Amino acid sequence: MVTYSPIVTDDDLVFKALADPTRRILLDLLFQRDGRTLKDLESGLEMTRFGVMKHLKILEDAGLVVTRRSGREKLHFLNPVPIRMIHDRWIDKYREREVSALIALKAELEEKDRS
Amino acid sequence: MVTYSPIVTDDDLVFKALADPTRRILLDLLFQRDGRTLKDLESGLEMTRFGVMKHLKILEDAGLVVTRRSGREKLHFLNPVPIRMIHDRWIDKYREREVSALIALKAELEEKDRS
DNA sequence: TTGACAGGTGACTAAATGGTCACCTATAGT
DNA sequence: ACTATAGGTGACCATTTAGTCACCTGTCAA
């Protein structure tokens, strides 16, 4: 039998978790490559291990990061579900197309700007 | 000539703005119905006018809310672009389908649960 | 033109948050 | 066995943030 881990994400925990730049960098790192250890993540940041650990705990409590133990290591994975739920809260199906198009347009204009 | 207001949203301002529950309720209110005044929004919250105003300023600085003056009133509108950009930061095109499907599945299971 | 109304500012307090450290537990490898 | 390594906890301090208030500006309508 398959059990699904609590996708149930308390709103507040998710948004509070995303509010810190260090934690967003951690998500970026996990977006690049999943399954990293604390040591690994720590090395990319100018902060003590304790700081990083605290941040990872907050991300985990929010459900943005899920973990798996492997021996004495703890592997971290990005869970995109809460992110999508933020999106769905304020962007309905009809607006989605417009917004994406607008962002694409903006990117295009900025591209032209650079050349 | 048309000038586009700064869609350029400093990351940090957006995430910090979203971190507060009152501000998320304000976005919910504007998602329901756009073009509200401060007075209007204030009446839906248990907080002084000053508190609400401060929150609206933070949302506006983040680009999540755009405003237009009309006489002595200030009308507030929800801008979904920054929300979509959060989404795009951690959910790539390929993952998008999976994640949406997973959320739909979850909603379906919860629906069954209730019946 | 005067009074009511919508919005705005700067200062202040209480609470929450980020970061560090001393100290602890568990696993790996020799 | 024992030493190095990966991870974990609770207390602590500095900074940031939410909320309120006294006071101010601009617009509407009788």
Side-chain angles (χ1 to χ4, degrees):
Chain A
M1 179 191 168
V2 182
T3 50
Y4 292 96
S5 42
I7 298 179
V8 207
T9 55
D10 182 7
D11 275 307
D12 206 50
L13 291 181
V14 174
F15 288 105
K16 289 261 165 61
L18 290 173
D20 182 90
T22 303
R23 289 195 286 269
R24 293 197 296 275
I25 291 175
L26 284 169
L27 292 182
D28 289 340
L29 290 172
L30 292 178
F31 183 59
Q32 283 175 18
R33 182 164 51 80
D34 257 335
R36 303 202 194 216
T37 65
L38 169 60
K39 269 281 152 156
D40 184 355
L41 293 165
E42 175 199 347
S43 70
L45 297 174
E46 302 205 340
M47 189 182 298
T48 61
R49 179 170 60 88
F50 308 100
V52 178
M53 194 162 42
K54 227 170 176 178
H55 285 304
L56 284 172
K57 177 169 178 13
I58 291 172
L59 287 169
E60 194 177 352
D61 288 348
L64 284 160
V65 164
V66 290
T67 61
R68 183 160 53 86
R69 292 213 64 116
S70 165
R72 63 179 165 182
E73 296 186 325
K74 189 175 180 182
L75 309 180
H76 298 77
F77 301 85
L78 173 61
N79 177 23
V81 171
I83 303 287
R84 179 67 191 193
M85 295 186 77
I86 293 174
H87 174 273
D88 291 350
R89 178 165 179 176
W90 292 299
I91 299 182
D92 53 55
K93 278 262 176 289
Y94 310 100
R95 275 285 183 85
E96 190 171 347
R97 289 162 189 274
E98 302 173 31
V99 175
S100 293
L102 185 54
I103 290 175
L105 172 64
K106 177 174 165 283
E108 203 177 309
L109 291 175
E110 286 173 352
E111 185 55 39
K112 250 182 209 158
D113 237 28
R114 268 193 295 280
S115 61
Chain B
M1 178 190 170
V2 181
T3 51
Y4 293 97
S5 42
I7 299 180
V8 207
T9 56
D10 182 6
D11 275 308
D12 206 50
L13 291 180
V14 175
F15 288 105
K16 288 261 165 60
L18 290 173
D20 183 90
T22 303
R23 290 195 286 269
R24 293 197 297 274
I25 291 174
L26 285 169
L27 293 182
D28 288 339
L29 289 172
L30 293 177
F31 183 59
Q32 282 174 19
R33 181 164 51 80
D34 257 335
R36 305 201 193 216
T37 65
L38 170 59
K39 270 281 152 155
D40 184 355
L41 292 165
E42 174 199 347
S43 69
L45 297 174
E46 302 204 340
M47 189 182 296
T48 61
R49 179 172 59 89
F50 307 100
V52 178
M53 193 161 42
K54 226 172 178 178
H55 285 305
L56 284 172
K57 176 167 178 16
I58 291 172
L59 287 169
E60 193 176 353
D61 288 347
L64 285 160
V65 164
V66 290
T67 61
R68 183 160 54 86
R69 293 214 63 117
S70 165
R72 64 179 163 182
E73 295 186 327
K74 189 174 181 183
L75 308 180
H76 298 78
F77 302 84
L78 174 61
N79 177 23
V81 171
I83 303 286
R84 179 65 191 192
M85 295 186 75
I86 292 174
H87 174 273
D88 291 350
R89 178 165 177 177
W90 291 298
I91 299 183
D92 54 54
K93 278 260 176 293
Y94 309 99
R95 276 286 183 83
E96 189 170 348
R97 289 161 188 274
E98 307 175 29
V99 175
S100 294
L102 185 55
I103 289 174
L105 172 65
K106 175 172 165 286
E108 203 178 308
L109 291 176
E110 286 173 351
E111 185 55 40
K112 250 183 209 157
D113 237 29
R114 268 192 296 281
S115 61

